[in-house]
Amino acid sequence: MLPLSVLEKAASEMTNYNGSGMSVMEMSHRSKVYQEIFDETKAGVKRILNVPDTHEILFMQGGATFQFAAAPLNLIGKTGKADYAITGNFANLAAKEAKKYGEVNVAANTEDRNNTYIPGQADLKLSDDASYFYYCANNTIYGTEWQYVPETNGVPVVCDMSSNIASRPIDVSKFGIIFAGVQKNMAPAGMALVIIDKALAGKELPITPTIMNYQTMIDKDSMYNTPPCYTIYMLGLVAKWIEENGGLEGMQKLRDVRSSMLYNYLDESKLFIACADKEARSGMNVTFRTADPDLDAKFVKESIAAGFSNLKGHRKVGGMRASIYNAMPVEGVEKLVAFMKDFEINNK
Ligand SMILES: *Cc1c(COP(=O)(O)O)cnc(C)c1O
């Protein structure tokens, strides 16, 4: 979801942005009016995520998946090796991609229990000569979330935050690279937000495509080629909305209200079962099921008829998944819990 007020603002400016006589969709990315939009978005992201001056903010096309290749191409050359914690589908895809460019050490793999948990710090098998350590902060499909930032003894941390970016405060200085496809929590589809410690750029493998080269993107301020102009504009509006709603502390409060409402009910329900271990539960994607796949299918079918969208679990795990990103109103979760309670009474 995107905040309704953001969509309405965009609609009101759709054909004539700020008296320019043009839609943002029609502007040259080199024009003065667009440069202002771009600069405002970047400044807004810097403020809400509290990005230190050591780090650069980049807007790159290709989504999060593009970064699965960009991160190793830019960083793995240091020692030829990287550590990956594989806690779900997207971390697994990222590790597969990295293997094309260097040696991947699996620091953890949670597949043994169908990715229902997050490894503890002591369980991570870190190597001393890794160029970087990689993990995915929130496992969108499995509904697990890291509740700590791993200690890596000076090895740069690369983190995929696609599905929990901007949902709670983070200490950006602990990360070498944070990236996120913006479409889950921040803007329409079309790009990744990348936050990179500038000291890590400029050491890419010689085969790195120019479009993937972080140093080039830093030097060109994300405009090596035409950027996704409209998505950047929308990201700026969402950043403003986040600021008006209490910043990341405000987002965290809302996130806790929404997710605890669902988890509290799941814990007391005799019908529904929460899929993820308690300590690993995601504040963004709540995965649950009943003991019977046919009943799960019935629930999904009836939920659609009742006006709920996208409650069917990912095909890899089955069951159900409620994605409750930043813009989901608390009221939406209240309605879902009421619907689940009714379903439980009717299917005893
Ligand atoms: C959705 C998602 C991706 C894939 O994002 P694209 O922008 O489609 O490439 C990667 N990682 C995580 C954690 C996701 O949730």
Side-chain angles (χ1 to χ4, degrees), residues 69-85:
L73 279 161
N74 280 273
L75 304 186
I76 211 165
K78 190 174 172 202
T79 64
K81 186 175 177 184
D83 288 349
Y84 276 71

Side-chain angles (χ1 to χ4, degrees), residues 25-102:
M25 291 188 191
E26 300 171 300
M27 291 175 184
S28 160
H29 64 291
R30 306 279 179 210
S31 66
K32 187 167 169 287
V33 58
Y34 186 72
Q35 187 66 49
E36 279 167 17
I37 294 171
F38 181 95
D39 292 343
E40 258 178 50
T41 298
K42 210 170 142 182
V45 168
K46 189 171 163 79
R47 280 196 306 273
I48 60 166
L49 295 177
N50 200 11
V51 179
D53 291 336
T54 45
H55 287 58
E56 183 64 52
I57 295 165
L58 302 175
F59 305 126
M60 294 175 75
Q61 297 186 49
T65 304
F66 189 91
Q67 300 301 320
F68 295 171
L73 279 161
N74 280 273
L75 304 186
I76 211 165
K78 190 174 172 202
T79 64
K81 186 175 177 184
D83 288 349
Y84 276 71
I86 302 178
T87 54
N89 175 61
F90 292 112
N92 191 35
L93 291 175
K96 270 194 192 156
E97 198 64 26
K99 271 182 206 157
K100 295 179 183 172
Y101 310 113

Side-chain angles (χ1 to χ4, degrees), residues 198-213:
K198 284 180 268 192
L200 293 178
K203 301 179 179 91
E204 70 283 348
L205 295 177
I207 58 162
T208 305
T210 310
I211 189 77
M212 282 193 182
N213 185 329

Side-chain angles (χ1 to χ4, degrees), residues 285-303:
N285 309 96
V286 178
T287 48
F288 59 97
R289 57 185 175 80
T290 70
D292 172 6
D294 290 337
L295 202 53
D296 289 350
K298 184 171 181 236
F299 177 86
V300 170
K301 197 169 163 215
E302 290 182 12
S303 75

Side-chain angles (χ1 to χ4, degrees), residues 90 93 109 126 135 154 235 265 303:
F90 292 112
L93 291 175
N109 191 330
L126 303 175
Y135 77 110
L235 176 61
Y265 169 60
S303 75

